[in-house]
Amino acid sequence: MRVLLSTYGTRGDVEPALALAVRLRALGADVRVCAPPDYVERLAEVGVPMVSIGQPINGGPPPGPGFAAELIAAQFDEVPVVAEGCDAVVAAGTLAVAVAVRSVAEKLGIPYYYAACSPIDLRSPHDPPPRGAGEPSTLDMSDLPALREMRNAGLWQRFGDPVNSQRAAIGLPPVDHIVDYACTDRPWLAADPVVVPLLRGQEAVQTGAWILPDERPLSVELEAFLDAGSPPVYVGFGSLHAPVDAARVAVEAIRAQGRRVLLSRGWADLALIDDRGDCFAVGEANHQALFGRVAAIVHHGGAGTTHTATRAGAPQVVIPQGMDQPYFAGRVAELGVGAAHDGPTPTFDSLSAALATALARETRARAAAVAGTIRTDGAAVAAELLLDAVSREKPSVPA
């Protein structure tokens, strides 16, 4: 069986697809992944064939006026070649890419599936009627139906014309609602039901989070820092730009709590503010091995980081920068495993208050308790479900 997985975005968008690819291959499927060129080395690490599509996410030129049309055109030009002959196509992550990938699958007559890592993109019968792309709104970031409609309006404004132009070129009718079309009427939710419960009325197949077990050791230098004192507080913003002055604010606030600091450079290239021995900067590291050894985790609220931190039983401070991150910040607070920072830019006072909550004894106890409830088999569940679904759709071959 041949399966094509397609994703585009930051590390948090690509890692779930990689986890599913590895599980599918273990079940005997022939799998390849379409992703941005940033991830060639990562996919090579686990032996998954990759087709590089689009511009680099990190370090490439900032998106210009023609970015939307170029991104969509690249999907329509390159995905058909690798999708030809596949038994299934799975899109994960960026909806603008997913709508193009589903269009290709529709043209080729291939079963298509969409997987989300948060419920923002999953429609519910209790959602309000769609708003027009130009309608102003006052948006509560915890109001998921309104957030979905805002996202569809934004996606339509940027990608609607390029998508429908490409669809017309291959003989397909236009689509009116990018979110609905990309997600299908029964999407998959690649998230743990404790961390991300389905909302009332949502129709989705919830598999658990797609996380690939990571056996990489921590560096000798990082091990030495961890062993040299009490557990530090980890700070990192993953594949995002960090808030202005984030490193200084974090280091000073964490020091004021009497804690050491472990600063993840990330794509923002955060740097230490001085050469004192209570701080250490780290590049790429195995979060699964690291997060269980820190006092708390200060992060941006990406789906992958939130799941990994929750599985590790580490208290969290989430400083959401946008997208679905306010939702995950809220979930961390609701679960009692940490604090949701109010807004994307911390100050010494605001971060100190959040750290006080995260470092409290009762928060650590709650985080440890919740950790034991988190599933670890999401990618394996999804791989088996996908192969079963495709097998049922394939016509039987006469003996």
Side-chain angles (χ1 to χ4, degrees), residues 19 22 52 123 125 134 152 207 241 246 254 259 265 268 346 377-378:
V22 170
S52 179
R123 184 159 296 284
N152 185 70
T207 61
H241 296 294
I254 293 167
R259 301 284 182 163
R265 297 187 187 93
D377 62 345

Side-chain angles (χ1 to χ4, degrees), residues 20-35:
L20 179 60
V22 170
R23 292 300 186 184
L24 286 168
R25 293 191 72 194
L27 294 175
D30 177 8
V31 185
R32 61 187 57 198
V33 175
C34 293

Side-chain angles (χ1 to χ4, degrees), residues 1-14:
M1 188 174 293
R2 295 182 60 190
V3 179
L4 177 66
L5 308 181
S6 180
T7 185
Y8 189 88
T10 63
R11 184 77 175 261
D13 296 304
V14 174

Side-chain angles (χ1 to χ4, degrees), residues 175-272:
V175 295
D176 297 323
H177 199 286
I178 285 179
V179 172
D180 283 358
Y181 180 78
C183 289
T184 77
D185 58 1
R186 192 155 174 79
W188 290 11
L189 181 57
D192 186 87
V194 172
V195 180
V196 181
L198 279 170
L199 303 180
R200 184 169 65 102
Q202 286 186 329
E203 301 253 345
V205 178
Q206 187 159 21
T207 61
W210 299 356
I211 299 175
L212 182 65
D214 195 342
E215 305 296 335
R216 294 174 300 164
L218 302 178
S219 70
V220 173
E221 296 80 8
L222 178 53
E223 286 280 7
F225 177 75
L226 293 171
D227 291 341
S230 60
V233 173
Y234 171 97
V235 181
F237 291 87
S239 305
L240 300 180
H241 296 294
V244 174
D245 219 14
R248 182 190 62 79
V249 169
V251 170
E252 292 179 354
I254 293 167
R255 280 175 171 166
Q257 298 287 327
R259 301 284 182 163
R260 302 193 303 155
V261 183
L262 179 58
L263 189 67
S264 174
R265 297 187 187 93
W267 283 13
D269 200 24
L270 296 179
L272 299 177

